[in-house]
Amino acid sequence: MRSKMITRSTLTGVGYVWAFLSMISMGLACTGFYLPYWLKGTMGNNNTTVFFGTFRRCNYPTLDSTSGAITVISECGRYTTFSDIPNLSWQIATIVIGVGCGLTILVAFTAILSCCIKDIISRGVARLGGVLQLLAGLLIGAGCALYPNGWDSREVQLACGGTSQSYALGSCTMAWAYYVTIAGAATSFLCTCLSCHASREKSGSYGL
C-alpha cells in the first residue's frame, strides 16, 4: 500500500526547478514582509536608529504621558492594533502583501509535496499554481509600490528629519527587507513562467 502511494513524481525537470523556486519565493516574500527593516531613520537626541515595516517597527517613538516629551522605545514589535498603523497606505499594503504571501505558501508547499507524491500536480493544476503565483507577485509588488505613499505620516517624518513626503524619503534610507520582499515578488513571476512546463501529465490522465 505504501509503495503505491509514494511513487515517481509527475513533475518534469523544469517542474523540480519550479518547486524549488516556489519555496525560495515564499521564503523571500514572507521573511521580508515580517521583518520591519524596510525604512531606516534616526530619532531622539541620541540619534537612535529606527526601522519601519508595514505593520512592525523597531525603536519606535512614543509620547510620555507625564512630561509630554517624545521618547524612543528600544525594541521591535508590531503595532498594537491594525488601526494603530500610522496611515491608510501601510494598512492596505499589509493586507495585500499578507494575502500575496499566503498564496506563495499555498503553492510552495503543494509544489514540494508533488516532488515526492505522484498525481498531485497535473498540467492544469501546475498552471493554476502559476496563476496564483502571478496574483501573489502582483499583490506583493502593489504593496511594495504603495508603501512609500505613507512616508508623509507624522511618525515617519519624526524619523526622517521632518522632510519626508509621499514617495520622498527625506533623510531616511531604504533598508534590506524591502528589497527582499520585492525579490520574492520577482521570483514569483519567474515561477509563473516555469509552471507551464512543470508537469508531464495532463488533467484527468491519472491511472488507478
Side-chain angles (χ1 to χ4, degrees), residues 78-89:
R78 62 177 177 82
Y79 290 95
T80 305
T81 65
F82 184 77
S83 61
D84 287 333
I85 297 175
N87 57 77
L88 180 61
S89 295

Side-chain angles (χ1 to χ4, degrees), residues 155-172:
E155 187 173 354
V156 174
Q157 289 180 336
L158 286 172
C160 299
T163 58
S164 66
Q165 296 295 330
S166 295
Y167 297 94
L169 275 172
S171 62
C172 287

Side-chain angles (χ1 to χ4, degrees), residues 41-59:
T42 58
M43 189 176 296
N45 295 329
N46 296 326
N47 289 327
T48 303
T49 300
V50 298
F51 293 96
F52 297 99
T54 60
F55 70 101
R56 300 185 77 238
R57 53 188 176 168
C58 283
N59 305 330

